[in-house]
Amino acid sequence: MSELFVRTLREDPADAELPSHRWLVRAGYIRRAAPGIYTWLPLGLRVLRNVERIVREEMEAIGAQEVSFPALLPREPYETTGRWTEYGDALFRVKDRKGGDYLLGPTHEELFTLLVKDLYGSYKDLPLALYQIQNKYRDEARPRAGLLRGREFVMKDSYSFDIDDAGLQKSYDAHRDAYIKIFTRLGLEYVIVQATSGAMGGSASEEFLAVAENGEDTYVRSPGGYTANVEAVVRPPATEQPYDDVPPAHVEDTPDSATIETLVAQANELQPRQDRPWQASDTLKNVLFMISHPDGRREALAIGLPGDREVDLKRLEAQVGESADIVPFSDDDFAAHPKLVKGYVGPQVLGSGELGPDESPAPGSIRYLVDPEVVTGTRWVTGANEPGKHVFDLVCGRDFTPDGTIDVAEIRAGDPAPDGSGPLELARGMEMGHIFQLGRKYAEALGLKVLDENGKLVTVTMGSYGVGVSRAVAAVAETTCDDKGLVWPRELAPFAVQVVATGKSEEVAAKAAEIAEALSVTGLEVLLDDRKASPGVKFADAEILGMPTIVVVGKGLADGVVEVRDRASGDREDIPVTDVVDRLLTLLGG
Ligand code: ATP
Ligand code: MG
């Protein structure tokens, strides 16, 4: 400790929102270099290397081979697949001195595809799995919580190459098993959930989420075992209804009813129903968004959904594309569309049409998508496109025809699981890994073909698999730390044991050094606190730093004992000095 490059801090860093961020900075594991960009100090780097080691071992175990690509990449392959544009503002684009376009790799599908195309040409070369552990760059809109969402971060990304779908399924399953081993070894409590594939394209995909209250992802699970990221929940459409008996739509006065709550109250007062009171779910709410796509297109979108539900912006982003900028209609947008009366918008003025880059949408040409609950024959109370007026008995399929369906309503606890496996429960998690069956999208775009057994050229099918390596450091810290500091599981700890010498006596210092030396020759990683600091300072630091086992050499020596503390449980035990090395070896499996 007297030589280690570390300074523990007594104060929380001002920008730290989460415990993991706070403790990793305070314990001297990382330092911020710029927003979302961090420097690894010796202790942090040791943890990072431990995560990498676990990931490497499990990748090698399924036969994946390590390569290392540059992070600075040429534009062309990303142009070919469309991602140069599609990635939007999240892509770090750079120019060289000749004006050539480059990017800092956010993920490397293109490069891996081209590399394999470069060198391989036959079905005999497949299957193949390649991986790298490397810095990735994404100009995240909201860098957050230190390592959890960085703009430079470490990812393990791997890619599988197969001749057919059965091969891809096998490669995917092998990765899935490897991920189960990785996240189990990292000591994370995790769930595997169905996912959407985002900017990556492709079909089958699952995420590994660390269960954590502070996680940014919301997932659902049912008693029958359905699990999915809320972004990926697909609600089945409601059943179509006969509507022969429904009276014609009629417009009614509902003064001051621009919100669903006031509308329901007005409807019950002025247009009471015979069978039961009106409720929010009888109303059709039409929500307007302005969407700016990464290629410059702007598009107005109206979403119709039952009035008791909100649009979940993350679910909407997942549907529209994460790089699109989606904002609710502004007052200016409303002003530009005089037919749309804020608070009283009805489907009659909505429907069809996209826009050019600079045009604002012409009234009546707004794309109108509805919730899966809004099907033919369902009848609604909704805006009449006049202030203070609503229309009743407006029937979908009779009085209005949406342009399509969009499933972006918030998912609520108790909603039925789409597969019929019971009511959903909601919880939060952090995305630690993501596995995709990419299929032929990239191979097609970049021309990766091989000769099959019959000498025919076939397009290779691919999988892509990511682990957030630096995020894992933070996620483990987040889920294990306590109010005194970090608490590392053994496999990740920078050192297995911290030996703390307390008091000023030469004898204590010598004994502590001797124990540290004896432990270290057995192969254990040992950190010796040999500083001339008070016992209080040393204990506090040992708690902040979070090594799993702490050996206190001090007063007890007079009675021939040292104290062994378990950082996680706080348990303390006096052990005879003569036994301490053997005891720790048994304890730590050395
Ligand atoms: P997120 O939804 O959290 O933005 P993503 O779906 O964009 O992540 P992928 O492209 O699937 O991420 O990347 C693979 C893995 O890399 C993720 O599962 C996550 O663990 C990690 N990762 C992604 N973005 C970041 C980031 N900004 N900082 C740290 N780790 C990240
Ligand atoms: Mg992902």
Side-chain angles (χ1 to χ4, degrees):
M1 277 289 277
S2 60
E3 290 158 23
L4 184 66
F5 186 62
V6 65
R7 279 285 172 276
T8 55
L9 309 176
R10 296 292 159 227
E11 302 290 327
D12 287 337
D15 61 340
E17 310 153 49
L18 295 188
S20 56
H21 184 192
R22 190 155 66 226
W23 289 121
L24 286 167
V25 172
R26 279 187 54 180
Y29 280 60
I30 57 169
R31 291 296 289 172
R32 195 183 86 137
I37 305 178
Y38 286 83
T39 307
W40 295 91
L41 305 188
L43 289 173
L45 198 55
R46 289 176 82 100
V47 181
L48 181 70
R49 294 287 177 252
N50 285 337
V51 175
E52 290 179 1
R53 174 176 45 76
I54 292 172
V55 171
R56 243 182 215 109
E57 283 172 11
E58 298 303 339
M59 283 295 107
E60 301 285 333
I62 59 166
Q65 299 172 61
E66 185 166 6
V67 297
S68 183
F69 274 94
L72 182 61
L73 304 172
R75 168 177 176 163
E76 288 71 25
Y78 286 80
E79 188 68 56
T80 308
T81 58
R83 290 211 293 183
W84 174 262
T85 308
E86 274 165 30
Y87 241 105
D89 290 339
L91 198 63
F92 278 105
R93 298 173 177 84
V94 287
K95 278 202 189 295
D96 73 2
R97 63 172 74 206
K98 297 193 189 114
D101 282 320
Y102 289 79
L103 62 121
L104 297 177
T107 166
H108 280 65
E109 279 75 5
E110 284 82 351
L111 278 291
F112 275 82
T113 310
L114 287 174
L115 180 69
V116 175
K117 178 183 173 181
D118 236 6
L119 296 174
Y120 274 10
S122 158
Y123 74 96
K124 290 182 199 148
D125 299 323
L126 305 181
L128 171 72
L130 299 174
Y131 78 98
Q132 62 174 348
I133 297 178
Q134 191 225 28
N135 282 349
K136 294 282 188 276
Y137 299 84
R138 295 183 187 176
D139 196 358
E140 299 276 0
R142 291 171 289 274
R144 173 180 178 261
L147 302 173
L148 278 177
R149 183 170 296 284
R151 299 199 296 163
E152 176 183 279
F153 59 98
V154 184
M155 196 203 285
K156 184 286 297 175
D157 48 328
S158 42
Y159 306 85
S160 64
F161 302 85
D162 282 277
I163 190 87
D164 55 22
D165 295 351
L168 170 57
Q169 187 64 47
K170 239 173 125 182
S171 299
Y172 181 88
D173 292 342
H175 267 88
R176 196 176 190 274
D177 288 345
Y179 276 38
I180 289 173
K181 296 203 175 99
I182 289 170
F183 295 115
T184 307
R185 286 180 68 183
L186 290 177
L188 287 169
E189 188 197 336
Y190 65 90
V191 287
I192 306 175
V193 302
Q194 286 181 28
T196 52
S197 27
M200 224 66 82
S203 51
S205 115
E206 288 169 294
E207 284 167 355
F208 287 70
L209 302 183
V211 177
E213 266 168 54
N214 292 326
E216 286 181 282
D217 286 274
T218 306
Y219 68 93
V220 297
R221 61 171 139 210
S222 76
Y226 172 86
T227 54
N229 194 308
V230 276
E231 292 171 11
V233 174
V234 180
R235 291 147 62 231
T239 339
E240 298 191 359
Q241 310 277 324
Y243 53 83
D244 294 345
D245 299 342
V246 182
H250 47 108
V251 174
E252 303 293 345
D253 280 328
T254 50
D256 293 327
S257 57
T259 65
I260 296 295
E261 216 181 17
T262 50
L263 169 61
V264 170
Q266 291 280 21
N268 279 321
E269 195 182 316
L270 304 171
Q271 301 290 327
R273 262 178 89 122
Q274 307 310 322
D275 51 346
R276 59 163 172 82
W278 292 107
Q279 52 200 33
S281 56
D282 298 320
T283 69
L284 177 64
K285 170 159 72 182
N286 298 297
V287 192
L288 290 141
F289 293 97
M290 190 54 86
I291 301 175
S292 307
H293 292 282
D295 62 5
R297 266 181 316 128
R298 289 186 81 224
E299 181 194 6
L301 175 66
I303 298 174
L305 74 169
D308 63 333
R309 298 254 173 189
E310 302 295 332
V311 170
D312 179 334
L313 265 180
K314 285 190 91 177
R315 277 170 47 80
L316 178 57
E317 267 170 27
Q319 297 281 316
V320 173
E322 271 172 46
S323 2
D325 181 45
I326 307 174
V327 289
F329 248 45
S330 64
D331 287 341
D332 287 347
D333 292 326
F334 276 105
H337 298 82
K339 274 198 194 168
L340 302 178
V341 182
K342 200 175 170 181
Y344 299 91
V345 176
Q348 303 86 333
V349 296
L350 302 170
S352 273
E354 274 191 25
L355 298 161
D358 301 318
E359 274 174 84
S360 69
S365 71
I366 295 175
R367 198 149 68 103
Y368 184 48
L369 301 176
V370 293
D371 187 79
E373 292 286 322
V374 185
V375 295
T376 300
T378 50
R379 62 200 262 202
W380 303 96
V381 179
T382 189
N385 304 300
E386 273 184 76
K389 288 186 195 298
H390 278 88
V391 53
F392 288 66
D393 293 315
L394 196 79
V395 174
C396 181
R398 180 186 75 179
D399 303 319
F400 68 98
T401 311
D403 293 320
T405 301
I406 189 164
D407 188 9
V408 293
E410 51 165 345
I411 302 297
R412 292 189 300 223
D415 283 351
D419 66 352
S421 60
L424 295 176
E425 207 185 294
L426 273 73
R428 309 277 287 179
M430 293 173 183
E431 182 185 325
M432 304 312 304
H434 198 164
I435 52 179
F436 296 98
Q437 296 194 14
L438 277 182
R440 297 183 175 79
K441 176 177 167 178
Y442 289 86
E444 199 92 62
L446 297 162
L448 170 57
K449 294 179 192 209
V450 295
L451 290 171
D452 72 5
E453 278 171 80
N454 308 314
K456 215 180 87 207
L457 270 180
V458 293
T459 303
V460 169
T461 183
M462 294 171 55
S464 118
Y465 317 90
V467 169
V469 174
S470 50
R471 180 178 285 184
V473 173
V476 172
E478 183 71 26
T479 49
T480 54
C481 71
D482 61 16
D483 58 353
K484 300 195 188 72
L486 297 165
V487 186
W488 294 110
R490 293 194 199 289
E491 229 190 325
L492 296 190
F495 295 93
V497 182
Q498 180 156 350
V499 177
V500 179
T502 64
K504 298 205 177 72
S505 100
E506 288 294 321
E507 194 207 341
V508 165
K511 199 72 203 172
E514 188 191 315
I515 292 171
E517 180 60 24
L519 287 170
S520 112
V521 296
T522 70
L524 283 179
E525 306 267 22
V526 184
L527 178 61
L528 171 64
D529 193 348
D530 56 348
R531 294 173 301 170
K532 307 231 171 314
S534 75
V537 165
K538 289 183 167 186
F539 291 147
D541 277 350
E543 279 173 332
I544 291 182
L545 295 184
M547 301 324 145
T549 301
I550 301 160
V551 177
V552 181
V553 184
K555 284 202 207 88
L557 269 193
D559 307 318
V561 296
V562 295
E563 188 185 78
V564 175
R565 296 184 182 179
D566 183 82
R567 174 66 184 86
S569 67
D571 291 348
R572 300 170 177 206
E573 194 188 348
D574 282 340
I575 292 179
V577 186
T578 44
D579 296 351
V580 70
V581 172
D582 285 345
R583 280 291 292 276
L584 284 176
L585 283 179
T586 327
L587 189 71
L588 305 178

